[in-house]
Amino acid sequence: MNASVPTRFSRPRFALLVLLGVYPLITTLLYVVSPLTEGWSIWQRTLIIVPIMVTSMVWGLIPGVHKLFAGFINPQRC
């Protein structure tokens, strides 16, 4: 992408990409954690899953989306 061409950050595109990354991540975590936490309350399972999810998003998913899809989430202005 040419640095002199102005771009704009597209929140809807970014949200779509994060959704596409979060869905398989949370589904996998639920499959892994559920058998290990049978009989636990939902808040207890959530207490285990949320820190893993947040860490994965902050240091993995979101930087990856920004790097791999920079042109898609920062389209050139018309």
Side-chain angles (χ1 to χ4, degrees), residues 12-76:
R13 290 179 180 190
F14 179 65
L16 174 65
L17 291 171
V18 171
L19 173 74
L20 292 174
V22 165
Y23 179 79
L25 183 57
I26 194 70
T27 303
T28 302
L29 285 172
L30 287 169
Y31 274 116
V32 169
V33 170
S34 289
L36 304 172
T37 59
E38 269 185 55
W40 289 23
S41 298
I42 191 71
W43 71 267
Q44 293 168 317
R45 288 182 182 186
T46 306
L47 189 63
I48 299 298
I49 291 173
V50 168
I52 298 168
M53 189 70 195
V54 170
T55 302
S56 300
M57 288 181 66
V58 170
W59 280 283
L61 180 69
I62 292 174
V65 165
H66 277 290
K67 184 177 180 180
L68 294 172
F69 299 99
F72 180 70
I73 60 175
N74 295 304
Q76 294 180 355

Side-chain angles (χ1 to χ4, degrees), residues 3-18:
S4 64
V5 177
T7 62
R8 62 177 174 76
F9 179 75
S10 174
R11 288 184 190 268
R13 290 179 180 190
F14 179 65
L16 174 65
L17 291 171
V18 171

